[in-house]
Amino acid sequence: MRRADREIKNIDEMKDILSRADACRVALVDGTRPYAVTLNYGFEWEGDLPVLYFHCARSGRKLDIIAKNPTACAVVDLDHELVGGPMGCDWGMKYRSVVIDGIIETVNDPEERKKGLDLLMFHYSGRSGFAYEVAEMSATVVLRLRVQSVSGKKKV
């Protein structure tokens, strides 16, 4: 990281960012072109790395790309605050962010699919114990981002 003074090394601070943010931007590689999509997510922490879960419909560009190349990068950010100054170069943005690199894959195990949806629902509601209808479950794909590296950065 070029600006070591802005690096977040504390896992608890990264967990806080993931807990408080409301969207995750996932970038995929479509042949030679980037493709990014904003997704809702849930997560858990395994050791020093998070595991992110997403859900989507059973078909679409995102799934077509993942089938060809599961490499993914995800960004979660929050605490945006515009800071002004007398000169144009004095302006900037305060923020905190987490950047994740990994492999995204479809979850086929029924128990882990439910776990992924439970983590997603908990992230947005703070509640657990949800039930899912069979028809909804069969129409839903659950994706898991297995994280290979995670980094955090902030400007406060």
Side-chain angles (χ1 to χ4, degrees):
M1 182 169 301
R2 185 180 65 82
R3 293 287 309 262
D5 60 315
R6 294 185 181 170
E7 184 176 9
I8 297 172
K9 294 182 179 180
N10 184 301
I11 289 176
D12 288 333
E13 188 168 2
M14 287 189 235
K15 286 179 182 179
D16 180 63
I17 294 166
L18 286 170
S19 294
R20 292 184 41 232
D22 63 0
C24 181
R25 289 153 199 89
V26 176
L28 304 168
V29 181
D30 188 6
T32 61
R33 306 268 313 157
Y35 176 75
V37 61
T38 302
L39 297 169
N40 293 325
Y41 67 99
F43 74 97
E44 65 181 352
W45 212 268
E46 291 182 355
D48 291 340
L49 298 173
V51 177
L52 276 67
Y53 289 90
F54 311 98
H55 73 329
C56 62
R58 287 225 160 261
S59 63
R61 184 175 178 190
K62 171 175 59 264
L63 294 177
D64 294 343
I65 295 168
I66 291 167
K68 294 176 189 170
N69 184 351
T71 303
C73 179
V75 178
V76 175
D77 56 311
L78 49 71
D79 296 338
H80 305 114
E81 181 184 336
L82 184 62
V83 178
M87 303 291 290
C89 292
D90 295 332
W91 287 68
M93 183 72 72
K94 293 182 181 181
Y95 64 91
R96 292 191 309 145
S97 65
V98 172
V99 176
I100 295 165
D101 289 312
I103 301 297
I104 195 164
E105 54 199 4
T106 301
V107 177
N108 295 313
D109 177 69
E111 288 182 27
E112 188 175 4
R113 285 171 43 82
K114 182 179 182 318
K115 173 184 161 181
L117 292 174
D118 286 344
L119 288 167
L120 200 145
M121 293 301 298
F122 182 80
H123 178 72
Y124 291 98
S125 71
R127 298 180 12 227
S128 56
F130 286 92
Y132 306 98
E133 297 208 15
V134 174
E136 291 173 346
M137 286 295 280
S138 65
T140 302
V141 171
V142 175
L143 300 169
R144 172 184 52 231
L145 179 55
R146 290 203 180 273
V147 178
Q148 296 173 324
S149 70
V150 60
S151 62
K153 188 174 179 182
K154 64 183 172 183
K155 181 178 179 185
V156 293

